[in-house]
Amino acid sequence: MRHSRSPRRPVAALAAALMVTAAVTSGCGSEEPDRSRRTEARPSGRSPAAADAASRSPAPSGSTSAGQPLPDSLTRQQPRWSPCPAPDAAQGTDTGSPAPLPGGDRWECAKLKVPLDYSEPAGRTLGIEMIRAAERPGGGKRIGSLVFNFGGPGGSGVAALPAFADEYETLRGRYDLVSFDPRGVGRSEGVRCLSDERLDAYFAADWTPDTDAEERSLFARQKSFADGCEKRAGDLLPHLTTENTARDMDLLRQVLGDRKLHYFGISYGTELGGVYAHLYPERVGRAVFDAVVDPASNPAQGSLSQAGGFQKALGNYLDRCTSGEEKCPVGDDPAAGKERITELLADLDAEPMPTDSGRKLTESLAEGGIAQALYSEETWDLLTQGLEEAMVDSNGSTLLLLADALNGRNQDGTYSTLQSSLTAISCADNEQRYGTGAIRNRLPDFAEASPVFGPMSAWGLASCHDWPVHGRWRTPPVSAAGSDPILLIGTTGDPATPYGGTRAMQGELGDGVGVEVTYRGEGHGAYDSRNSCVRKAVDGYLLRGRVPRNGTDCT
């Protein structure tokens, strides 16, 4: 599933405003798999004042997981910042060229060279695409760079940061705002597994098999997808781990000239940030994790929790829809509305629905479109529109548009690397491989958690079954003894990263590291809700080093 951003964008640009979350199907960790899930005791983090002082001079050259120093050709890079081109198809073309920043400042882009394999730091390199908005004059004393990851794995940070820059303009008063396409994503050698035409068929296919033959077909599609990834990007696949991306971020920190990494991670970005903190606790500066992933969940546990989260969000949507002044397309009773949506999906399983584009809305596409609209309360009206079109007019156009955004389909019919990158990174991370028997055994639990989203979430566990490389670990280690405080923001109505993940991350980071802030609201991510309490907590920490009270409650 995906991470939804800035729903105020026009519907035509919706695909560009949605980043992957799917963090529950990704994993990460240290040199060896961590099966114990131990939580280590740790001292309280260093003071923000100490972090501020430390950030003014670059750290020494980094080293690889094998302890080998990185060559000077990497640690002493001087990025050649220049005006950014428009995003290409791999990143998602629907945003267009980055609009000028307030005051007329232009976005700048550059490449960062990183090792393909950190055990061979002098070997082959990858080019990581970066983007930055330079610090705005007059905002106060410069702190450094603030690095963003908007979710994934698979979302282009180079396309996302300009699309949502207005949300972070206050932070630009003391930071350069920086984001990047992680390895295997977008312009950073993004993974492509199938042609655009084959991806259309892949996403429209039946992902809730009812017979043995349909199950065999599902696994055959997964193998074909995996074979395509191996054919097109086989030499990259073993190296597309979250740990390697965390190491790339540390090299980025050095090249930007910061002694500590100041970081804003959203959804999967919280998992990436946790892995960075585990690897380099002494290098964590001011960090915020919003829409926090549960790092103690394996893919099956995380997918089950996420299915329940979307079912809860659907219930909240139906409560509002059926109690409004305007007629709700599913009727005036929330329970009956859930049944009508389930019936709609069953009907689409039997016979897809026409759309204005000439393509058909299938069960899988409709379910994806419904889920996409639930990422933000501000897109619930789009869901009402889509359900009314489908149930009253037998037209699936709006639900298909939402599904295309979820799947990374550009308006011209090309696809970004969103889904291919997501699968490649998740399968490089996770040890677990789920076959027919394992999924069948879990189906009752998934159906109980969510009659609407549960079955497809369960069968989605098959995505790594025939993957050509082994996964790295079972759950991502994020223990970070000695780290400065990390703000953890959880939203009680978050469908994609349910609220319990915030408390779990706090426990895994260890004593004195995670500082919990609760937003009692709807949607995936709290900072962009513009809730004044959340903004005060985050801005106060990032701009002034003020750590909020643990357990701060925002309504």
Side-chain angles (χ1 to χ4, degrees), residues 310 313-314 317 369-377 379-380 383 453 495 523:
F310 274 93
L314 180 62
Y317 157 77
I370 293 168
Q372 184 61 82
L374 294 173
Y375 274 92
S376 170
E377 191 172 13
T379 51
W380 286 4
L383 179 54
F453 305 103

Side-chain angles (χ1 to χ4, degrees), residues 493-513:
D494 192 323
T497 51
Y499 177 69
T502 308
R503 188 63 54 84
M505 178 68 81
Q506 185 179 46
E508 294 289 312
L509 287 170
D511 296 342
V513 177

